[in-house]
Amino acid sequence: MAKDLRIRSKAISEGATRVPNRAMLRATGFQDEDFLKPMIGVASTWSEVTPCNIHIDELARRAKAGIKDAGGAGMIFNTITVSDGISMGTPGMRYSLPSREVIADSIETVAGAENLDAYVAIGGCDKNMPGCMIAIARSEIPSLFVYGGTIQPGKLDGKDIDIVSAFEGVGKYNKEDIGRDELHQIECHACPGAGSCGGMYTANTMASAIEAMGMSLPGSSSNPAQSERKLEDCYDAGRAVYHLLESDIYPKDIMTKKAFENSISIVMALGGSTNAILHLLAIAHAIDVDLTLDDFERIQKKVPHIADLKPSGKYVMQDLHEAGGIPAVMKLLLEHGYLHGDCLTVTGKTVAENLENEKGFTEGQKVIVDPAEPFRKEGPLVILKGNLAPDGAVAKVSGLKSTSLTGPAKVFDSEPEATEAVLSGQVKDGDVIVIRYEGPKGGPGMPEMLSLSGILVGKGLGETVALLTDGRFSGGTHGLVVGHIAPEAQSGGPIALIETGDVVTVDSEKRLLSVHVSDEVLEERRRAWRAPELIKRGVLGKYARTVSCASRGAVTDDFTEAGEPQKVR
């Protein structure tokens, strides 16, 4: 007798008492034979609000076709997405990180309420991927993830451009290096179609990390959005999730501590987004794996940076795909001892078994260099600590000529205030911009600051000015920037006590972030400090009251984290 794969849906599909339940499903197209099959969901993040997700409706249908052909009863359902690139620099950016929790909560809710036996989750923009993965970790049913794929590079005057070119173009225009017509041409050509931002920014970083973790099919993270191979990824995922059910392989069997270490290794090797640290901590929390900033620091010290990818390099994900893709990178890392080859994956095979017949890189490719001659001997994502960040902060140092700076602080309580100061010429070489009350609670929502960091680069201040914040940076950010400073200002972290004119040191080689003010003076300032009132209602109000520290992943279900109650307005 064939194995009954209805591990949860059997509660609906059998018995006279469940006639009403089945009657509802018949209205969606179910017939007698479908109730004998496992009910397998397709969590789609399709939306018309961003190019990252605009094609995912078709991808979801392909995944459902794969489920059907494998023997399952497929059901597509949707969740939200927001576009970081569109909300960047506006009040809307405060909703970006909270959307990760909304996505995770909504997928978990549907999977649980509908008694799904398994599901495929398909994501595109930055918060979709960790949102989907947090849900997969919580749902405790066989599941896997498919990345919607990278956008093709834009073309202007024979050169590749992308969304970061547009952000940096604003700074160049402000500096009068380019005119309004050229800025308009950048706007019109930066994003040529469907897919997520093209460099090794957050979307492509997380897609690579999830494949290295074993939760995506080999090669699927680097296959472009607008390609036949991406359609095949989704069809194959539908069949693969059915196989996971047959094989009794659950997310907890794949998402082990060693699997997370593989994710961190590939992020370091590729020079990925600082957001990967935040998201991997959150995913680990959801699957109950003990992952901390110390693990990132440990792996950073041994894994070299070997990818010449934007934002600090020359190439984009499309180029990496053509050079051999993520499987070629993983094969190289495995050969040099930077990956655990014995980790189980969604293919039912180990990492090493998946890579056994991998061909490697195409001849003459220039995207990935020999690990013996890396861009950096250590990974470029560095954890900093000191009296300004007792619980840690994150810096990305790839491509920087100078990784340290000591200078006077110019302190702002919001990103718009700092942006106005930069555009009006108030910020000079050697300054340390400090933007606070932009953390998970204080923002609320820990907004990214690609708009400001892009302006600094465009104005030629990317390496002569340091930018520090308890908020975040986009994966497209480069320059001397430090984010995720913890504890955040809203919680009374030392960043709340800095004053304009204080001397601050950022030293990535010494892993130090400090303010040159005595403990006695800081304590005196603390006694006079009062926490700003939190927003009172809605999504952001709920988020601000439940979110954990950035050093713990900024999750909303960490009920062990102690914290003083906040005032409300």
Short mmCIF file of all heavy atoms in Angstrom, two decimals, residues 214 271 393:
data_model
loop_
_atom_site.label_atom_id
_atom_site.label_comp_id
_atom_site.label_asym_id
_atom_site.label_seq_id
_atom_site.Cartn_x
_atom_site.Cartn_y
_atom_site.Cartn_z
N GLY A 214 20.88 24.71 2.12
CA GLY A 214 20.27 23.47 1.67
C GLY A 214 18.78 23.53 1.49
O GLY A 214 18.14 22.52 1.22
N GLY A 271 30.84 38.57 -0.33
CA GLY A 271 30.77 39.98 0.06
C GLY A 271 29.34 40.46 0.11
O GLY A 271 28.99 41.51 -0.42
N ALA A 393 27.84 45.77 16.57
CA ALA A 393 27.43 46.54 15.40
C ALA A 393 28.03 45.85 14.19
O ALA A 393 28.91 44.99 14.33
CB ALA A 393 27.90 47.99 15.49
#
